[in-house]
Amino acid sequence: MKYYIIAGEASGDLHGSNLIKELKKQDPSTSVRCWGGDLMAAAGGDLVRHYKDLAFMGFAEVLMNLRTIFRNLDFCKQDILQYRPDALILIDYPGFNMRIAKWARSQGLRIIYYISPQVWAWKEGRVRQIRETVDKMLVILPFETAFYQKWNYDVEYVGHPLVEVIDRFRAAPPAPPFHFTKPVIALLPGSRKQEILKKLPIMLEASRFFPDHQFVVAQAPGQDPSFYDDLLAPYPNVSSVRNQTYALLLQARAACVTSGTATLETALFGVPEIVCYKGSTVSYQIARRLIRVKYISLVNLIMDKLVVKELIQDDLTPENLRRELDDLLHNETRRRQLEEDYRALKELLSQGGHASANAAASILNFMATKP
């Protein structure tokens, strides 16, 4: 089988690479041409475009790069037609992939979507387009099945691919290039400069209440290391690591984590965490009106209850962080409850095996049916 796979971000490259490995393992005749990154290329994909050339974040940046985006769309369509795949596999990255899906439907291509866009959080109306254009949707969050059922669209839950990634790391962790003599509190303030500047200073101020702990910031790969120097300089018990987030979580006794996938990663490492979110007043008010979910943390959304504390907007203060961290560090009842909830979370996300293997088996079964 010939597949054309499109991933436009680092996470898509990771999960796409594991999917390619499983497809090749379960069907040695598999051939893949792809948009992604180094991991997908190393897994055996013929890389056409690197995600680093596709990542335009924010409204202004997208506007400034519209010509490049449209050129990429045109080239992608031409390349797909030339390759003539048996199926198109799209991985998240909805702004680009939904446009390709609509076009691919008009060309009679079979379309598989792995890792659904988060239409359940906002832009719910996109489900209509997904239903009209996508032949097979493989979802990685358990509540997405019921969400799509409301729209009379059958999807398949395959488990979350982060489970296998973290299991693999924990089974054979590389020797970390750092060692701390004090108990570690991890700070994961996000990847974009604006969100880091909003949240990290508050996390750093909270470190003053815990002089007997080492606070360690996980630097974002996309930011220059010097960006953090002035921010961290006033705090004697704060340091940072780069490209070592998993090694850091392996040592952490607690963590302050910005909302997003990092909250799920932290939970899968079994680290008690506080979820932190703070945006500009305007952005926050807009988000409140657009986003239709009870929680901002994936951990809480998946468990459908408040497992980890969320400090949002005005509630994110050094004093509130101090109180919550103190409780996480010293309240054994709360720590035991978190351990129990984290175990239940992992069971929900494992779905009888690893997501990549489940997804590959589902794709091969789907391809064995007549179009």
Side-chain angles (χ1 to χ4, degrees):
M1 287 287 181
K2 292 169 63 177
Y3 301 100
Y4 199 103
I5 303 180
I6 303 175
E9 298 155 323
S11 61
D13 180 39
L14 172 63
H15 301 322
S17 69
N18 288 326
L19 179 63
I20 291 171
K21 290 173 188 175
E22 281 295 334
L23 285 169
K24 286 179 172 288
K25 180 179 176 182
Q26 296 182 33
D27 175 16
S29 71
T30 294
S31 176
V32 174
R33 189 166 173 83
C34 59
W35 292 43
D38 300 339
L39 295 176
M40 289 173 73
D46 179 12
L47 189 64
V48 182
R49 283 279 193 278
H50 201 288
Y51 69 81
K52 290 179 180 176
D53 300 323
L54 308 173
F56 303 115
M57 302 297 293
F59 185 70
E61 190 178 6
V62 168
L63 280 179
M64 289 188 295
N65 289 280
L66 275 177
R67 185 174 296 178
T68 300
I69 292 168
F70 285 122
R71 273 203 304 263
N72 281 332
L73 282 165
D74 288 340
F75 172 77
C76 185
K77 293 171 185 177
Q78 293 166 12
D79 199 53
I80 291 169
L81 289 177
Q82 186 173 353
Y83 183 61
R84 299 177 62 83
D86 294 297
L88 180 63
I89 301 176
L90 308 173
I91 300 179
D92 200 2
Y93 196 49
F96 189 92
N97 276 339
M98 289 303 297
R99 288 177 171 84
I100 290 295
K102 185 177 181 180
W103 166 84
R105 164 61 67 232
S106 70
Q107 301 299 311
L109 288 166
R110 303 190 86 180
I111 303 163
I112 301 160
Y113 216 123
Y114 176 47
I115 307 180
S116 166
Q118 293 184 350
V119 287
W120 39 266
W122 70 310
K123 291 190 176 180
E124 192 166 327
R126 271 186 172 177
V127 178
R128 293 188 185 91
Q129 186 186 345
I130 290 172
R131 191 173 56 192
E132 291 167 2
T133 58
V134 176
D135 297 301
K136 182 74 174 177
M137 173 65 80
L138 303 174
V139 300
I140 64 170
L141 298 172
F143 61 81
E144 290 178 318
T145 306
F147 167 79
Y148 276 109
Q149 281 175 349
K150 290 191 311 180
W151 291 82
N152 297 315
Y153 182 58
D154 290 330
V155 302
E156 183 177 352
Y157 174 57
V158 294
H160 202 292
L162 273 178
V163 173
E164 65 197 88
V165 172
I166 291 172
D167 278 352
R168 195 176 301 127
F169 182 91
R170 297 185 73 172
F178 48 79
H179 176 71
F180 303 108
T181 56
K182 298 178 181 179
V184 171
I185 296 176
L187 303 181
L188 280 61
S191 58
R192 284 174 278 180
K193 187 169 289 188
Q194 285 299 102
E195 68 176 347
I196 295 169
L197 290 173
K198 278 283 184 185
K199 300 164 196 168
L200 183 55
I202 299 169
M203 296 177 181
L204 295 174
E205 277 299 303
S207 73
R208 296 188 188 277
F209 296 108
F210 300 89
D212 55 341
H213 285 72
Q214 182 70 39
F215 284 67
V216 185
V217 178
Q219 292 187 14
Q223 301 298 335
D224 193 282
S226 62
F227 165 67
Y228 295 88
D229 292 344
D230 290 341
L231 291 169
L232 273 56
Y235 303 95
N237 62 326
V238 179
S239 56
S240 66
V241 297
R242 190 172 184 82
N243 297 322
Q244 296 288 340
T245 301
Y246 280 8
L248 172 61
L249 289 173
L250 210 53
Q251 295 190 27
R253 183 160 172 79
C256 300
V257 188
T258 196
S259 56
T261 305
T263 64
L264 192 55
E265 291 174 304
T266 303
L268 289 171
F269 271 96
V271 180
E273 65 179 306
I274 302 158
V275 178
C276 305
Y277 175 84
K278 192 177 184 72
S280 70
T281 302
V282 173
S283 295
Y284 175 64
Q285 291 302 326
I286 292 172
R288 279 189 64 190
R289 287 158 175 78
L290 291 177
I291 296 176
R292 305 182 181 189
V293 289
K294 288 191 290 186
Y295 307 109
I296 63 169
S297 161
L298 279 173
V299 175
N300 295 336
L301 283 168
I302 292 165
M303 295 294 287
D304 197 26
K305 67 176 184 175
L306 193 67
V307 173
V308 293
K309 182 69 176 180
E310 298 181 350
L311 293 178
I312 304 172
Q313 204 63 10
D314 294 339
D315 288 336
L316 182 58
T317 66
E319 179 57 36
N320 284 345
L321 270 180
R322 180 206 65 77
R323 185 182 66 252
E324 293 299 329
L325 275 174
D326 188 63
D327 198 44
L328 283 183
L329 292 168
H330 302 115
N331 185 337
E332 286 304 316
T333 301
R334 186 175 176 188
R335 290 180 70 89
R336 282 195 297 272
Q337 182 61 53
L338 268 176
E339 287 176 9
E340 184 179 319
D341 286 334
Y342 282 174
R343 277 195 296 271
L345 173 73
K346 185 176 180 181
E347 286 177 13
L348 269 175
L349 296 177
S350 297
Q351 188 64 19
H354 283 152
S356 300
N358 292 343
S362 178
I363 289 167
L364 290 173
N365 183 60
F366 171 72
M367 294 305 294
T369 63
K370 290 184 178 180

